[in-house]
Amino acid sequence: MNGLAPAPDEVMLGALAREAVLLFAGGAATFLVPMLVVAVLVGLIQTIFSVQESSISFLPKLAVLVLMIAIAGEGLLLGLGDFLESGLADMVGAIR
């Protein structure tokens, strides 16, 4: 760079990108962390009882995924909608 401070539009777009990454990481963690906990518990139970049935490990993870969608799905979609609405308006303003 030439040593000048970044333009306000660049700062705004950087903040927008940072907010997008945090939004999507939080949304992914909402589903992945409970599924990881269930996968570890089911794996532990299968190891203890020497059960090799693959459907036993799949069905609890599917149930947790459906439960998390029911609990957090609306909030995540509303957050995504708010981000897109404000982000697109900010990006259009930055382009002009």
Side-chain angles (χ1 to χ4, degrees):
M1 288 258 166
N2 56 9
L4 298 175
D9 293 341
E10 292 176 8
V11 173
M12 187 271 309
L13 289 175
L16 190 63
R18 186 173 27 263
E19 185 180 348
V21 168
L22 291 175
L23 176 70
F24 290 117
T30 301
F31 297 108
L32 292 177
V33 171
M35 287 182 64
L36 177 66
V37 170
V38 168
V40 168
L41 290 176
V42 169
L44 184 64
I45 291 170
Q46 282 184 316
T47 302
I48 291 171
F49 293 112
S50 298
V51 177
Q52 298 297 323
E53 183 64 34
S54 62
S55 64
I56 292 175
S57 66
F58 174 72
L59 293 177
K61 289 186 277 187
L62 180 63
V64 168
L65 178 63
V66 170
L67 181 67
M68 290 309 299
I69 289 173
I71 293 171
E74 182 181 5
L76 288 172
L77 287 177
L78 288 174
L80 180 62
D82 292 342
F83 169 76
L84 288 174
E85 184 178 323
S86 66
L88 289 176
D90 290 344
M91 284 191 302
V92 168
I95 292 170
R96 290 184 180 173

